């Protein structure tokens, strides 16, 4: 099973600041990495797939990068509506399909 | 409008079977693979498995002995059965879609909370 590790656990950021979230895989997942946003009280929403492809309707301030075992989700300028928990997920080697433990983004 | 609506008992007794249904509307149920993902209170996301209208299924190995997922095209529904439940199965259960050629999840239901308790 591929273990996904996200860091940090929580980020407190001022509005307008740049946010960088990390996701590490226990073995290479090539580019088969997705990111999800879960706003409190809601279901997760797909943000990015294929490491860097934004899903339909996702604002341009969200971007993804990386390959192999190291991946990054960047929010170029944090907005209040971006307060959420962000999860990465690998879909290269399965079963099982696995998620990271999440990074919580808060407004400072 | 595409919609996934989970339904089923909110309370299940230990050792009994958890049964949930996902009603799919606005999209052909035959075109996709349908997974169940759960989230224990305050925890992360756990993939349970997927089903396809062809009968193809795949499950998390740790749950494989207790889980069954099926797709009913006549009712546009996806079903989950999880046997011999314990408190560790208490979670919000989500019905989600993936394309089959891709294994990320692009459509999520709102989720339904199932509590295992006597």
């Amino acid at each position: 099973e591929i273990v996904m590790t996200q860091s940090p656990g929580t980020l407190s950021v001022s509005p307008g600041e740049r946010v960088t979230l990390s996701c590490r895989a226990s073995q290479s997942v090539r580019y088969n990495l997705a990111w999800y946003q879960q706003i409190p009280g809601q279901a997760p929403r797909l943000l990015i797939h294929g490491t860097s492809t934004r899903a339909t309707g996702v604002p341009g301030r969200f971007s993804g990068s990386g390959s192999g075992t190291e991946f990054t989700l960047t929010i170029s300028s944090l907005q209040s509506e971006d307060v959420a928990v962000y999860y990465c997920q690998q879909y290269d080697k399965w079963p099982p399909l696995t998620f990271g433990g999440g990074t919580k983004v808060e407004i400072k | 409008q595409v919609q996934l609506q989970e339904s089923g008992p909110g309370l299940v007794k230990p050792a009994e079977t958890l049964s949930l249904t996902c009603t799919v509307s606005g999209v052909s149920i035959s075109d996709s693979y349908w997974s169940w993902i759960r989230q224990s209170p305050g925890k992360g996301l756990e993939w349970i498995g997927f089903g396809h209208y062809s009968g193809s299924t795949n499950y998390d190995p740790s749950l494989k002995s207790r889980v069954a997922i099926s797709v009913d095209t006549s009712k546009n529904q996806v079903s989950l059965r999880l046997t011999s439940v314990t408190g560790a199965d208490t979670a919000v259960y989500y019905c989600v879609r993936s394309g089959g050629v891709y294994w990320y999840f692009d459509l999520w239901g709102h989720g339904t909370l199932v509590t295992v308790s006597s």
Side-chain angles (χ1 to χ4, degrees):
Chain A
E1 172 176 333
I2 295 181
V3 177
M4 308 300 292
T5 303
Q6 292 186 241
S7 61
T10 302
L11 267 176
S12 293
V13 182
S14 299
E17 286 192 350
R18 185 182 186 87
V19 179
T20 301
L21 288 66
S22 295
C23 174
R24 174 176 293 179
S26 61
Q27 57 184 282
S28 175
V29 298
R30 299 183 289 177
Y31 292 95
N32 296 314
L33 192 285
W35 290 93
Y36 301 85
Q37 176 194 59
Q38 186 173 32
I39 293 170
Q42 297 186 16
R45 163 201 181 197
L46 177 68
L47 284 180
I48 285 174
H49 59 89
T51 296
S52 59
T53 302
R54 279 190 299 275
T56 303
V58 173
R61 63 181 180 274
F62 291 93
S63 63
S65 62
S67 67
T69 62
E70 301 283 343
F71 299 88
T72 299
L73 175 69
T74 301
I75 308 173
S76 60
S77 176
L78 186 72
Q79 309 296 305
S80 58
E81 60 264 33
D82 300 334
V83 168
V85 179
Y86 293 83
Y87 295 96
C88 61
Q89 177 232 334
Q90 70 82 20
Y91 51 98
D92 190 67
K93 297 176 181 64
W94 55 273
L97 294 156
T98 52
F99 294 85
T103 292
K104 184 177 183 179
V105 174
E106 302 175 333
I107 294 285
K108 188 184 292 183
Chain B
Q1 182 182 358
V2 182
Q3 209 167 7
L4 308 180
Q5 182 64 59
E6 303 91 344
S7 60
L11 182 64
V12 180
K13 289 182 168 56
E16 294 192 345
T17 296
L18 180 161
S19 294
L20 296 176
T21 298
C22 170
T23 300
V24 179
S25 57
V27 65
S28 171
I29 201 169
S30 304
D31 289 345
S32 302
Y33 285 71
W34 302 93
S35 285
W36 289 91
I37 290 171
R38 68 182 181 181
Q39 185 171 35
S40 302
K43 303 286 187 177
L45 301 165
E46 180 183 19
W47 177 73
I48 297 169
F50 70 67
H52 187 254
Y53 84 99
S54 64
S56 171
T57 57
N58 206 304
Y59 304 123
D60 184 316
S62 69
L63 297 170
K64 189 174 184 178
S65 64
R66 299 197 291 131
V67 68
I69 296 174
S70 60
V71 177
D72 185 336
T73 55
S74 66
K75 297 180 180 178
N76 257 29
Q77 290 180 334
V78 185
S79 297
L80 169 70
R81 279 175 50 90
L82 184 66
T83 62
S84 305
V85 297
T86 70
D89 296 309
T90 293
V92 174
Y93 286 76
Y94 294 99
C95 174
V96 296
R97 181 184 76 173
S98 55
V101 292
Y102 58 85
W103 297 104
Y104 52 86
F105 306 106
D106 63 352
L107 187 63
W108 294 67
H110 293 295
T112 187
L113 174 62
V114 178
T115 301
V116 177
S117 176
S118 55

